Amino acid sequence: MGATTRTPTVAYKPRPGEIPTNPGVYRFRDADGRVLYVGKAKNLRARLSNYFAPLHTLHERTRRMVTTAASVEWTVVATDVDSLQLEYQWIKEFDPPFNVRYKDDKSYPFMAITLADEAPRVIVTRNRRIKGAKYFGPYPKVWAVHDTIDLMIKVFPIRTCSDSSYKKAMSTGRPCFPGQIGRCGGPCSMKVTIEEHRAIVEDFVAFMSGGDQRFTRELTARMREASAAMDYESAAVYRDKLQAIDAVLNKSALVLSPDTDADLFGIAEDELAANVQHFVIRGGRVRGVRATTIEKELDITGADLVDQVLQRTYGGAAEADIPKQVLVPALPEDAADLEEWLRERRGRNVSIQVAQRGRKAELMRTATLNAQQALMLHKTRRTSDYVARTQALTDLQEALDLAEAPLRIECFDVSHLGGTNVVASMVVFEDGLPRKDQYRSFKVDETTDDTDSLYQVLTRRLAYVDRGDDLSTDRGIGPGAETAIASTTDAAATALSADEDFVTERRRPRFAYRPQLLVVDGGKPQVEAAARALRDAGHEEIALCGIAKRLEEVWLPGEDYPVILPRTSEALYLLQRLRDEAHRFAITHQRKRRRRDIQSVLAEIPGLGEARIRALLRHFGSVAALKRATTEQIEELPGVGPKLAASIHSHLADS
């Protein structure tokens, strides 16, 4: 296990010769012995040496983990596959704070078959820990499970009654009540034996597991035989069962070939979190979808995240729950080892593949889109939750050493295309929620210097703080009295409307409110430019910070090192949402300006009206594609002749 040798940077750094080059699993512990992080490596020496590089070269969060730890220890294993299993077991046992953290969507209901019972029954449950049960789903709604069960018991009549009803019926010899009305097909209905019922249950499970083609063929053959024998009553029974099977199958459309058994993982992620959509495909149909949210602590992305997801999904899975094919958005580095590990657990071959083309790629895009929407919803819910918002504002106050919680926060972002079409945005959050009626957009002089653009924008914005202070003093009111302030800002509104460099989302500005915190999108240079604008405007009492995209660092003016908030911090989620919203708003305004600009250029061309301008942009898809088009390509558009095409090409080349 790990040795401890003191160095100038990390006291517990082992000597390189002490670390074996074998495959294995390592653990970082803090001073109290708590496991902080668990990882695996094909070569322990090579992997651990990365953690003990000079601290300034490490990712900020890796540096925090390394400096928080007090020791490192490792276990050598025989093969890479063994390291996969051991890593999974340790993560499950110790729940290390720096490993990715999973939050399963436990709200979805499942269909469960209680196979451990003498007479298994089908139930709707959210409990995934019923001993010996076989699960199907999850389903989006409870009624969807009940509808499926209602259809299934028409084809495979198995037990649905409660355990108490079953015991009473079996002891008295009288059918259970659901059995009397045709809603229970167990032995308690007195229509089948325990052995016959078990055979029906096995067919039920086989059908739900993807064996629908066999049952369809068998029922069709029996229906035809009965019809040929003029046993129309039996033929009608088989017909009704086939209709019930068709209804069940229509609820899960055929997405891949009927012989496909696969698990598909769509993943959407950002710097703080990820969402995984796990599509369970059996017999070519999506039999269930499981959504998982991952809280990231260290900087883990792409293929490494896929590696972690597969280990967690299959580490405790039963043999029957591991498919022959696993479809992922990116192959992990140790994909071959993962395949061997899964093959050992399943007892048959398992392949891990990237869905690159065809119907599998289309399904991957669908899963990824679902993951993106779920991730956005997760972040939105966190921000809109009152307790989470309160915690976020309190955390911000403590992290930035503010005198009070920042109830009004304004965030600024600058966007441009190579120094042209420079715009800036201001978004406003009050009590942790967006105030879209107070969003603002700015036109900025063309420049490639973001810091200069930011200085310009903040100078213009801060000028209105003084106007608001004067108006509030004259009327004897505070900035919180919204109705009164609205009536006193008419002069400011007139001035803003007359300012050609200022664009509003709505024409009723409340621009004079004083923010408790200004946030800028960027790192140290942007923060210093914003601090200079605050000093020059005489408003250094307003707090300021910046959030850098790459590492999610929070920068304060005059500081040489950033503030590192925990990845699961509500404050960091709030800052990230502010930054993303400001970026979205800036890009939206920039696109509108670009569209207006190109339409203005095209409108100058004789013979080109609004309808043809719209047709041109719709045909080529974008302004950039239109500018790249040749005269001959433009001429292909209906109604555009050689002369007009040459004129369009010439005007765009000069614009």
Side-chain angles (χ1 to χ4, degrees):
M1 291 290 172
T4 56
T5 302
R6 183 168 297 278
T7 71
T9 52
V10 178
Y12 60 90
K13 177 182 177 181
R15 295 188 181 92
E18 295 175 339
I19 308 175
T21 57
N22 307 71
V25 183
Y26 54 91
R27 293 178 289 185
F28 282 88
R29 293 182 181 270
D30 63 14
D32 297 324
R34 181 190 182 191
V35 176
L36 299 175
Y37 183 74
V38 173
K40 69 178 185 304
K42 292 186 176 182
N43 183 322
L44 284 167
R45 182 180 300 175
R47 176 60 59 84
L48 287 174
S49 64
N50 294 332
Y51 291 99
F52 297 109
L55 289 178
H56 71 276
T57 65
L58 297 179
H59 185 283
E60 282 293 335
R61 300 187 183 280
T62 304
R63 183 191 311 161
R64 184 156 65 89
M65 188 274 289
V66 171
T67 54
T68 303
S71 65
V72 61
E73 55 191 35
W74 54 84
T75 298
V76 172
V77 295
T79 66
D80 296 332
V81 176
D82 292 338
S83 68
L84 284 168
Q85 184 63 34
L86 184 58
E87 181 189 30
Y88 168 77
Q89 291 175 352
W90 277 358
I91 291 175
K92 187 176 180 180
E93 178 181 354
F94 298 113
D95 190 23
F98 283 89
N99 283 91
V100 294
R101 305 176 74 86
Y102 298 86
K103 294 184 178 180
D104 285 332
D105 191 340
K106 296 184 176 64
S107 63
Y108 287 166
F110 288 81
M111 178 196 300
I113 317 296
T114 60
L115 296 178
D117 292 349
E118 177 185 70
R121 65 172 177 148
V122 58
I123 60 173
V124 180
T125 183
R126 301 176 196 271
N127 179 10
R128 292 298 312 276
R129 298 181 179 180
I130 300 175
K131 187 176 180 180
K134 176 69 176 179
Y135 290 90
F136 298 99
Y139 290 80
K141 301 290 182 182
V142 170
W143 58 261
V145 200
H146 285 294
D147 282 354
T148 301
I149 291 175
D150 289 344
L151 292 169
M152 286 296 297
I153 61 176
K154 292 178 181 179
V155 186
F156 307 102
I158 68 173
R159 182 165 79 92
T160 60
C161 68
S162 66
D163 289 341
S164 59
S165 294
Y166 174 77
K167 291 177 181 178
K168 182 178 180 180
M170 297 302 286
S171 62
T172 62
R174 296 183 58 187
C176 63
F177 178 72
Q180 295 175 34
I181 61 174
R183 292 282 301 162
C184 178
C188 47
S189 67
M190 305 303 161
K191 296 178 181 178
V192 294
T193 65
I194 291 176
E195 291 74 18
E196 290 171 338
H197 179 258
R198 174 67 68 168
I200 298 173
V201 168
E202 290 174 354
D203 286 345
F204 187 113
V205 171
F207 178 87
M208 290 301 297
S209 299
D212 45 75
Q213 296 298 318
R214 173 170 67 88
F215 293 104
T216 301
R217 288 194 300 267
E218 290 178 358
L219 287 172
T220 301
R222 291 176 184 175
M223 180 181 68
R224 288 173 178 170
E225 289 174 1
S227 179
M230 291 185 289
D231 183 1
Y232 299 118
E233 185 175 345
S234 297
V237 171
Y238 293 133
R239 179 203 62 199
D240 293 342
K241 289 186 176 183
L242 279 170
Q243 290 175 348
I245 283 181
D246 288 338
V248 172
L249 296 180
N250 287 335
K251 289 178 177 292
S252 56
L254 187 70
V255 293
L256 298 175
S257 59
D259 61 342
T260 302
D261 289 343
D263 282 358
L264 183 144
F265 295 86
I267 300 177
E269 60 176 316
D270 59 22
E271 292 80 2
L272 301 178
N275 184 272
V276 180
Q277 295 286 318
H278 176 189
F279 282 24
V280 179
I281 305 164
R282 298 295 182 267
R285 301 177 187 274
V286 178
R287 303 290 183 175
V289 178
R290 181 173 295 112
T292 305
T293 300
I294 296 173
E295 305 285 5
K296 295 198 285 186
E297 184 59 30
L298 296 183
D299 186 34
I300 178 172
T301 58
D304 291 337
L305 186 58
V306 171
D307 189 322
Q308 294 286 321
V309 168
L310 295 186
Q311 286 187 58
R312 181 185 181 276
T313 301
Y314 300 116
E319 175 184 322
D321 292 333
I322 301 176
K324 61 184 177 182
Q325 190 176 56
V326 177
L327 301 172
V328 295
L331 278 181
E333 181 182 344
D334 57 350
D337 298 327
L338 282 166
E339 286 180 340
E340 184 179 346
W341 176 61
L342 291 174
R343 182 167 60 249
E344 290 180 357
R345 298 188 64 81
R346 182 172 184 256
R348 286 170 288 173
N349 284 341
V350 178
S351 66
I352 301 175
Q353 301 174 6
V354 174
Q356 294 180 325
R357 61 181 66 87
R359 299 174 74 177
K360 291 178 181 177
E362 292 175 7
L363 189 59
M364 177 63 75
R365 284 192 287 272
T366 300
T368 303
L369 178 61
N370 276 270
Q372 291 169 346
Q373 294 174 343
L375 181 61
M376 180 178 66
L377 182 61
H378 166 71
K379 296 172 67 175
T380 302
R381 283 174 174 171
R382 287 193 66 163
T383 306
S384 60
D385 179 74
Y386 176 76
V387 175
R389 295 202 319 268
T390 303
Q391 186 63 50
L393 295 175
T394 302
D395 289 350
L396 266 183
Q397 178 184 356
E398 294 176 356
L400 306 183
D401 196 22
L402 305 179
E404 59 182 357
L407 299 183
R408 180 183 172 95
I409 307 174
E410 297 177 3
C411 184
F412 294 81
D413 182 33
V414 175
S415 179
H416 63 81
L417 288 173
T420 63
N421 280 321
V422 184
V423 299
S425 64
M426 179 187 93
V427 300
V428 180
F429 276 37
E430 289 185 350
D431 293 330
L433 291 174
R435 288 292 305 272
K436 294 192 175 184
D437 62 318
Q438 299 187 32
Y439 286 14
R440 299 292 180 263
S441 296
F442 302 81
K443 290 188 289 186
V444 186
D445 294 337
E446 292 190 0
T447 176
T448 56
D449 187 349
D450 284 352
T451 59
D452 181 59
S453 300
L454 195 58
Y455 176 83
Q456 289 184 43
V457 169
L458 284 172
T459 299
R460 287 156 58 185
R461 186 269 172 272
L462 292 169
Y464 288 93
V465 173
D466 294 328
R467 292 193 190 191
D469 289 345
D470 293 342
L471 290 168
S472 297
T473 302
D474 291 342
R475 301 297 180 97
I477 57 177
E482 183 169 330
T483 304
I485 285 292
S487 66
T488 61
T489 55
D490 290 341
T494 303
L496 290 174
S497 299
D499 184 355
E500 292 183 353
D501 289 336
F502 182 74
V503 182
T504 64
E505 188 178 53
R506 297 189 181 182
R507 287 296 181 186
R508 190 182 185 187
R510 290 165 176 74
F511 206 45
Y513 292 168
R514 182 192 302 273
Q516 281 82 44
L517 175 65
L518 291 182
V519 180
V520 296
D521 180 13
K524 188 176 177 62
Q526 287 76 17
V527 170
E528 295 304 333
R532 182 161 51 91
L534 285 170
R535 285 195 302 271
D536 293 349
H539 286 291
E540 292 182 86
E541 78 284 356
I542 299 176
L544 168 68
C545 74
I547 177 169
K549 175 76 173 173
R550 188 172 68 88
L551 299 178
E552 300 297 325
E553 303 164 336
V554 179
W555 287 88
L556 299 178
E559 299 293 334
D560 293 328
Y561 297 98
V563 175
I564 304 298
L565 296 173
R567 287 264 170 157
T568 55
S569 163
E570 297 294 344
L572 187 54
Y573 267 95
L574 177 58
L575 289 177
Q576 187 190 42
R577 179 132 192 259
L578 274 158
R579 188 266 318 284
D580 293 346
E581 183 71 350
H583 183 67
R584 179 201 65 79
F585 192 51
I587 292 295
T588 300
H589 178 55
Q590 186 186 73
R591 286 173 179 166
K592 289 179 181 177
R593 285 196 59 192
R594 288 167 59 196
R595 190 159 51 247
R596 287 198 301 268
D597 290 347
I598 191 63
Q599 287 177 339
S600 299
V601 171
L602 292 173
E604 297 173 358
I605 303 173
L608 199 60
E610 290 186 9
R612 282 182 177 170
I613 290 174
R614 288 196 299 270
L616 274 170
L617 295 175
R618 185 167 56 250
H619 177 76
F620 287 99
S622 68
V623 173
L626 178 56
K627 287 187 174 183
R628 289 195 303 268
T630 63
T631 303
E632 291 75 16
Q633 290 172 328
I634 297 175
E635 192 178 338
E636 293 175 359
L637 193 71
V640 178
K643 185 176 180 180
L644 182 56
S647 180
I648 293 171
H649 186 271
S650 175
H651 271 75
L652 289 176
D654 295 337
S655 65

